[in-house]
Amino acid sequence: MPHDLILLGHGSGGALSHQLLDELVVPTLSGISQAGRDDAAVLDPVGGRLAFTTDCYVVDPPFFPGGSIGDLAVNGTVNDLAMMGARPLYLSTGLILEEGFSRDDLARILTAMRRAADAAGVAIVTGDTKVVPRGKADRIFITTSGVGVLDHGLTICGSGARPGDRVIINGTIGDHGIAVLAAREGLELSSDVTSDSAPLNDLVAELLKEGDAIHVLRDPTRGGVATTLKEIALQSKLGIAIREDQLPVSREVGAVCAILGLDPLYVANEGKLLAVVAPEAAERVLERVRNHPLGRESAVIGEVTDKNEGRVTMETVVGGMRAVEMLAGEQLPRIC
Amino acid sequence: MNYRDEYRDRELVQGLADRIGHLADRAGRTMTFMEVCGTHTMAIYQYGIRSLLPPGVRLISGPGCPVCVTPNEYIDRAVAYCRLPETIVATFGDMMRVPGSSSSLMAERAQGADVRIVYSSLDAVALAMKNPGKRVIFLGIGFETTAPTVAGSILAAEEKKVGNYFVLAAHKTIPIPMQLLSADPETAIDGYLCPAHVSAIIGGAAYRSLAEGHGVPCVITGFEPADIMRGVEMLVRQVVEGESLVENEYSRVVQWDGNRKAREVLERVFVPCNATWRGIGAIPGSGLAINERYACYDAERALPVTAEEPREHPGCRCGDILRGKITPFDCPLFAVACTPESPVGACMVSSEGTCAAAFKYGR
């Protein structure tokens, strides 16, 4: 029997399942050699309101420049908790493996999950593994759920923007989407773009030192910055005006987007946040973000207005005005 | 200098806007210019160019989005190929969602068809070499910019003796429909922003009869915002001064006699043919068909299929939009029944489509 492949029996619940869990999954994810055999993790009480979230990860390909589905699965859920102002504590994970998936690749992904969890200061405390027949899944799907605690009384949500607020982003946009696209399509022209996948909870903790000046936090993942800003404008029933010349876009991402006919405003990010903050605190917030390793290229990209309710407008680099709408469907590379 | 940022310079563009404003005052009437190419359409929306132009200058979009002018019957035939066993259909990405009479490539893929997005026709030849037990059918659409690369893929397949690579060709050429549209009194086109990359192949000479014979000013224009503003300025100046010339704003790329090598490759493989333009109809001599010598790579001749009878959506006004007769906002389906998620007409699908641009940037 080949030892280097995942077989249907590894998800059967029987001896092979136990072997995979004991030898690989549990020690890698939790650092404990013996799997706990109980049906649920028991957590210590925490003092504060809880935030709870879940997400699914189906990225193709599972490995790409700057990361893998493993760190994405941890960072994505950590970031969703952080965007509510919560301090992430515990994660659960579900692994759905396609029969025939490489055991080495699984080990690499689990190691990436563990490293990301350690970096974010969260523990993966429970999980489940299933194997489906070949062709019924694309190599590996991961779900993670996360619990975090709110250590403060602030309410940070998408409807919290106020007229005059400034919109801050913590760095260049579109890196993750272009890195994955390049890996998926084998584009030689963009070999040096890497994913920005990163846990944002430490940066958020820094931001929360500004207290109630922080009104909205959102991570612009799928759909990109454009879609997230539009969501905030709709939820807050206000307008948002941004300036294209303030949007940080790396040269490489700008070039690939220009060639393929994509708009970086709609390309996914995995280590970026949009912060909507009170105008009087904007300079201080910007400085805090810029002093953080994940925010060196941060910028104020626009402001909230009481005009144009529910709309996002952009002053283009050449001074023209246009609307910014949500991503419709998927961005498709163009013919010419 | 990186040939991009200097053409997105705010002060340069504002200066051009001022000059266009002064010139347009001298014209004393509204001027209508058509940008033929879909990439121009997109750039005009993306940079908010219309908001920089005076009310006397009106830009309308033309038939230069290759996906948009591809007729239903072509999609239907591609769908029929998708349903053949042991067949891979390879296509540029923006063809995926274009609706045919009753299906699309995206819908076929969701039901199990093997449809692959490629970035170049040579990728499709490589796909054929990697899958010798299957047929690979490449959807060859596009204008004079794309056609030489597809011709090149057929030559590459011949050289490498690849017997399982086929092209479903629906290439089109731009100058003839431009002449037809300029003769339409309803649209009353005062000048053309001529396509940038197509012109790099066909050269400025291709527009001479349009400018000198039909009296329509033509300016070959690049895709950056300063290019477009300068192209508009040159058109306004020609109108004000009563001239009709072919001018080249995009001289950093386009030469007067174009790219002879690319045209030679194109002419080795393709011959002119009649072509159907979605929404416009048949235009004699405006298409490119694979010639006899390379007939074995022509999917239509080598692998005949029966497709369904083509049907157009009764309310779809893509044809009027492609001819510049109406704007997307005049179409009753726009943003109501026809959206990028569920497009009725092709103009809503392609990233270069007028309706897609208007939906994304213009509302």
Side-chain angles (χ1 to χ4, degrees), chain A residues 9-10 28 35 42 48 51 96-97 125 170 236 274 289:
Chain A
H10 284 123
T28 312
V42 177
I96 296 173
L97 309 174
V125 292
N170 64 313
S236 295
L274 288 162
V289 184

Side-chain angles (χ1 to χ4, degrees), chain A residues 181 185 187 243-245 251 254-255 258 260-261 263 266 311 314-336, chain B residues 2 4-5 8-10 13-14 39 45-48 51-52 66-67 92-94 96-97 106 109 117 119 141-142 146 225 340-341 351-352 359-361 363:
Chain A
L181 180 77
E185 310 295 347
L187 296 182
R243 285 182 57 134
E244 190 173 23
D245 59 2
R251 284 191 70 81
L260 296 180
D263 187 338
Y266 293 90
R311 287 171 57 91
M314 181 163 87
E315 185 181 331
T316 69
V317 279
V318 296
M321 293 298 294
R322 71 152 155 106
V324 176
E325 296 294 338
M326 276 194 198
L327 176 62
E330 58 182 307
Q331 286 211 104
L332 293 169
R334 70 174 172 208
I335 159 178
C336 61
Chain B
N2 65 13
R4 196 186 75 186
D5 293 347
R8 298 180 183 178
D9 182 86
R10 178 184 292 250
V13 169
Q14 293 291 349
T39 309
Y45 276 106
Q46 189 178 346
Y47 290 101
S51 69
L52 299 169
V67 173
F92 294 128
D94 43 6
M96 288 298 288
R97 254 196 327 248
M106 185 99 64
R109 187 173 71 176
I117 292 178
Y119 292 90
I141 65 156
T146 323
E341 298 91 339
S351 63
E352 312 276 278
F359 190 95
K360 187 170 172 192
Y361 297 132
R363 285 179 299 156

Side-chain angles (χ1 to χ4, degrees), chain B residues 116-270:
Chain B
R116 314 270 184 102
I117 292 178
V118 293
Y119 292 90
S120 134
S121 49
L122 289 176
D123 292 346
V125 177
L127 197 60
M129 293 171 74
K130 237 191 271 172
N131 295 275
K134 296 189 172 182
R135 291 175 287 235
V136 172
I137 296 171
F138 178 70
L139 304 185
I141 65 156
F143 298 110
E144 292 92 330
T145 340
T146 323
T149 65
V150 175
S153 77
I154 288 177
L155 296 178
E158 183 188 45
E159 192 190 317
K160 293 174 180 160
K161 302 194 168 39
V162 182
N164 59 331
Y165 174 68
F166 305 93
V167 174
L168 180 61
H171 292 288
K172 294 183 168 58
T173 53
I174 270 291
I176 294 175
M178 285 172 68
Q179 293 205 4
L180 278 182
L181 290 174
S182 66
D184 186 337
E186 199 183 323
T187 336
I189 294 168
D190 291 298
Y192 280 114
L193 288 172
C194 298
H197 293 159
V198 164
S199 303
I201 307 293
I202 65 177
Y207 308 106
R208 188 180 262 161
S209 73
L210 187 57
E212 294 171 9
H214 295 75
V216 185
C218 289
V219 176
I220 297 164
T221 305
F223 291 131
E224 293 297 334
D227 287 318
I228 295 171
M229 293 297 282
R230 197 174 289 134
V232 171
E233 185 202 10
M234 289 160 89
L235 283 173
V236 174
R237 191 179 297 279
Q238 284 200 41
V239 171
V240 168
E241 293 173 1
E243 288 180 331
S244 55
L245 309 169
V246 183
E247 288 185 286
N248 186 5
E249 185 279 330
Y250 199 36
S251 58
R252 66 187 185 277
V253 170
V254 176
Q255 293 175 354
W256 181 251
D257 57 353
N259 181 333
R260 191 164 293 159
K261 181 116 196 265
R263 287 203 305 274
E264 276 166 16
V265 171
L266 189 151
E267 284 158 13
R268 269 177 72 187
V269 174
F270 289 110

